[in-house]
Amino acid sequence: MFESLSQRLQNALGALRGKGRLTEADIAQAMREVRLALLEADVNFKVVSRFSIRATERCSAAEVLNSLTPAQNVVKVVLDELTDMLGGQTQTLELAQNKHPNVVMLVGLQGSGKTTACAKLAYLLKSQGKRPLLAACDVYRPAAADQLETLGRELDIPVYRGDGHNPLAIATESLAHATSTMRDVVIVDTAGRLHIDDAMMDEMYQLKVALEPDEILMVIDAMIGQDALNVAHAFAEKVDFDGVILSKMDGDARGGAALSVRETTGKPIKFISMGEKPDSLEPLHPDRLARRILGMGDMVSLIESAVKVQQDELREEEAQRLAHADLNLNDFLEMNKQIKKIGGISKFIGALPGGDRALSSGKVDEKIFERMETIIFSMTKEEREKPDCINGRRRARIAAGAGVSVTDVNQLMKKYGETRKMVRKMMPSLQESAEHFKKGKKGKKGKLKRRFGGMPGMGMGMPGMGDLKKLQDMLKDS
């Protein structure tokens, strides 16, 4: 996601960091590179022009040029403008408190990913304590209702199909069914349509009138680029949707749709979808995505994900051991499980400053944890709990049991030792940040900023990890 744009922007802004003072010519050259990067990413020309004018004016101001850290201030300006381009503030679903059930209606073109987006949204709402019902109102695409029912069954979310012929009847009947079965949100999967198909567009309007939905979300395939804007305008004229779900973000290396939709349509991007897993739909946080684009990582989302999957209680012995970063190989396995739960090593590395570039350059071996698990499963209980007892004879036996060489076992033990040292340095920061998220204390963003680094993008900010090199070395293919 945004690989080429991210690299171009980082190169353009990185050229300023070696200069003690900046001139207007330096600013003009940097803004030219930024403008070209955005255009090559298929961002709408008018959006790029407005961005360039605003950013140049702010960067050329005296308080930036005459500051002690002008390059950092330029980065901050570009970050702010990117955040504004993406919508500024995080936009969430607006569901009426005194209405049961709430209704969320999804619309979009054929093939945009509406049906899977419905299931993912239902899964997200279920994880937030809601009781969603899926309404299969796409009666035109063969097996559309079957697909939705299959997804609902996998997620343990009911699907209402009605007679399977009349979308308007199915939609209205689903509300009564939701009431009788104590479901508080109905998510309506409508048929995909072309904006030139007047009959289908009229049907969509009739559904809106009949259902009076709390939210109408338009699902847009991020990979269609500039065409997304024409489609969004056509749908806005007919139903005036409330927000956008950008699907297939993982397949869009440029990002033009994501950076253009908000400013050209006035409709916020509420969710983005990356991948096929049920939990791959997530709210769009403009500030966090802008940081990712500029190579600054997204530590806040990473910590949120980690806290979400963290066990509520640890045995006292484990808590004491982790508090002192006295990890054994069972903890090493548990760390691997936690990383898988938050999306795998790719998501973990991608959230770190510079991580996206490391992934795209092939410096991270994404299969390394699987090989580590195989070796650890070859060990005895004593060896996992007390790794220091593993001598040369034991290493030979472990290697034979795992079907690897003794060198592979030695490398695992080396990586384990490096991880224990890293965690020892990182543990106070991660524990404090996690506690702030769990307790919901005010001012947590300020604490996170101090804890994970000052000016955005001016370094890792994670104690002991440097510029990601140590972590890259640990995850390289051995």
Side-chain angles (χ1 to χ4, degrees):
M1 180 177 67
F2 297 109
E3 288 91 348
S4 57
L5 171 62
S6 180
Q7 186 167 348
R8 284 287 304 270
L9 291 179
Q10 290 177 55
N11 290 340
L13 298 174
L16 300 177
R17 291 176 183 164
K19 301 182 179 182
R21 294 183 63 85
L22 298 180
T23 65
E24 290 189 4
D26 294 327
I27 298 295
Q29 177 61 27
M31 288 301 106
R32 179 180 180 277
E33 293 298 321
V34 169
R35 186 166 61 251
L36 289 175
L38 291 171
L39 290 172
E40 288 184 7
D42 202 27
V43 181
N44 181 266
F45 175 76
K46 292 181 180 179
V47 173
V48 174
S49 297
R50 290 193 290 266
F51 172 94
S52 179
I53 292 171
R54 291 194 303 262
T56 301
E57 287 178 352
R58 290 183 58 188
C59 290
S60 300
E63 56 266 27
V64 172
L65 292 177
N66 297 330
S67 65
L68 295 176
T69 56
Q72 291 185 6
N73 283 320
V74 170
V75 173
K76 180 65 165 58
V77 168
V78 174
L79 175 65
D80 290 344
E81 292 297 332
L82 277 177
T83 301
D84 289 342
M85 186 187 296
L86 288 164
Q89 299 295 321
T90 301
Q91 301 283 339
T92 58
L93 288 179
E94 297 182 5
L95 304 179
Q97 298 297 317
N98 57 351
K99 178 184 177 183
H100 295 282
N102 293 124
V103 180
V104 180
M105 178 175 154
L106 269 62
V107 301
L109 290 182
Q110 297 171 353
S112 61
K114 280 189 315 307
T115 300
T116 53
C118 283
K120 291 176 182 179
L121 181 59
Y123 180 84
L124 178 64
L125 292 175
K126 182 180 178 182
S127 69
Q128 296 172 352
K130 299 288 187 180
R131 288 172 50 80
L133 171 71
L134 292 163
C137 295
D138 183 356
V139 301
Y140 304 104
R141 180 169 64 90
D146 291 337
Q147 179 190 0
L148 188 64
E149 191 162 41
T150 300
L151 292 170
R153 190 182 308 115
E154 292 174 355
L155 303 176
D156 194 25
I157 296 170
V159 176
Y160 184 79
R161 301 181 61 160
D163 64 5
H165 299 292
N166 187 334
L168 194 59
I170 296 171
T172 53
E173 290 168 7
S174 69
L175 303 188
H177 183 75
T179 301
S180 64
T181 56
M182 304 294 290
R183 294 284 159 176
D184 51 13
V185 182
V186 176
I187 300 174
V188 181
D189 179 26
T190 64
R193 57 207 73 214
L194 302 175
H195 57 275
I196 58 174
D197 190 331
D198 293 335
M200 293 290 283
M201 295 295 277
D202 287 339
E203 179 187 272
M204 182 174 61
Y205 176 75
Q206 292 170 14
L207 283 169
K208 174 186 176 181
V209 172
L211 294 173
E212 297 182 353
D214 299 86
E215 289 266 336
I216 299 177
L217 300 178
M218 181 175 179
V219 181
I220 295 178
D221 183 343
M223 293 191 292
I224 69 174
Q226 289 294 304
D227 287 341
L229 304 182
N230 298 328
V231 171
H233 281 299
F235 275 75
E237 289 177 0
K238 198 67 180 179
V239 296
D240 191 27
F241 59 87
D242 302 292
V244 171
I245 295 177
L246 275 180
S247 64
K248 307 176 188 178
M249 285 287 288
D250 51 323
D252 179 29
R254 296 185 297 175
L259 292 171
S260 302
V261 167
R262 172 63 178 86
E263 192 157 341
T264 57
T265 67
K267 306 297 183 181
I269 303 170
K270 295 199 173 187
F271 299 96
I272 56 176
S273 177
M274 295 178 287
E276 296 298 324
K277 294 182 179 180
D279 61 355
S280 62
L281 182 74
E282 54 190 57
L284 172 70
H285 300 283
D287 55 337
R288 302 182 194 180
L289 184 55
R291 290 176 62 85
R292 284 285 296 269
I293 293 172
L294 293 181
M296 301 174 187
D298 183 6
M299 289 303 304
V300 177
S301 292
L302 181 61
I303 294 170
E304 284 181 341
S305 298
V307 170
K308 185 164 58 177
V309 302
Q310 188 180 43
Q311 294 179 346
D312 292 331
E313 295 182 0
L314 287 171
R315 292 196 304 269
E316 183 177 350
E317 177 185 347
E318 291 176 338
Q320 289 294 328
R321 192 169 66 251
L322 290 175
H324 293 90
D326 187 18
L327 304 181
N328 60 34
L329 287 167
N330 286 326
D331 299 317
F332 207 44
L333 283 175
E334 185 61 31
M335 290 170 62
N336 186 17
K337 291 179 184 177
Q338 297 299 324
I339 288 175
K340 286 181 179 178
K341 287 181 181 179
I342 64 175
I345 190 63
S346 295
K347 185 171 182 178
F348 178 79
I349 296 295
L352 302 175
D356 284 328
R357 178 173 289 191
L359 288 171
S360 62
S361 65
K363 294 181 179 179
V364 175
D365 176 16
E366 299 182 32
K367 298 290 185 181
I368 192 166
F369 280 146
E370 295 178 11
R371 293 197 294 273
M372 289 181 180
E373 283 185 352
T374 301
I375 296 173
I376 295 174
F377 286 144
S378 234
M379 299 177 182
T380 65
K381 179 180 178 182
E382 178 189 12
E383 289 165 346
R384 294 186 198 179
E385 294 178 349
K386 300 177 181 179
D388 292 338
C389 77
I390 301 178
N391 55 25
R393 180 175 55 81
R394 289 176 182 254
R395 294 188 186 205
R397 191 206 79 247
I398 292 168
V404 299
S405 67
V406 175
T407 301
D408 292 326
V409 179
N410 292 338
Q411 289 176 341
L412 167 67
M413 298 306 297
K414 179 182 177 182
K415 295 178 191 299
Y416 158 71
E418 293 171 346
T419 300
R420 183 164 57 177
K421 291 178 183 177
M422 286 173 55
V423 171
R424 186 171 293 149
K425 294 179 180 180
M426 293 166 56
M427 187 59 69
S429 301
L430 294 177
Q431 285 179 334
E432 180 177 335
S433 300
E435 284 302 313
H436 280 290
F437 274 105
K438 292 173 75 174
K439 294 179 181 178
K441 290 185 177 180
K442 293 182 178 180
K444 63 187 176 185
K445 288 186 178 179
K447 289 184 178 294
L448 278 174
K449 185 176 180 181
R450 291 193 296 272
R451 181 62 61 184
F452 288 107
M455 177 63 68
M458 297 299 116
M460 278 293 298
M462 287 189 69
M465 294 189 69
D467 60 356
L468 199 60
K469 185 177 186 303
K470 290 183 179 179
L471 193 56
Q472 288 178 18
D473 291 342
M474 288 176 57
L475 297 172
K476 282 180 181 177
D477 187 359
S478 54

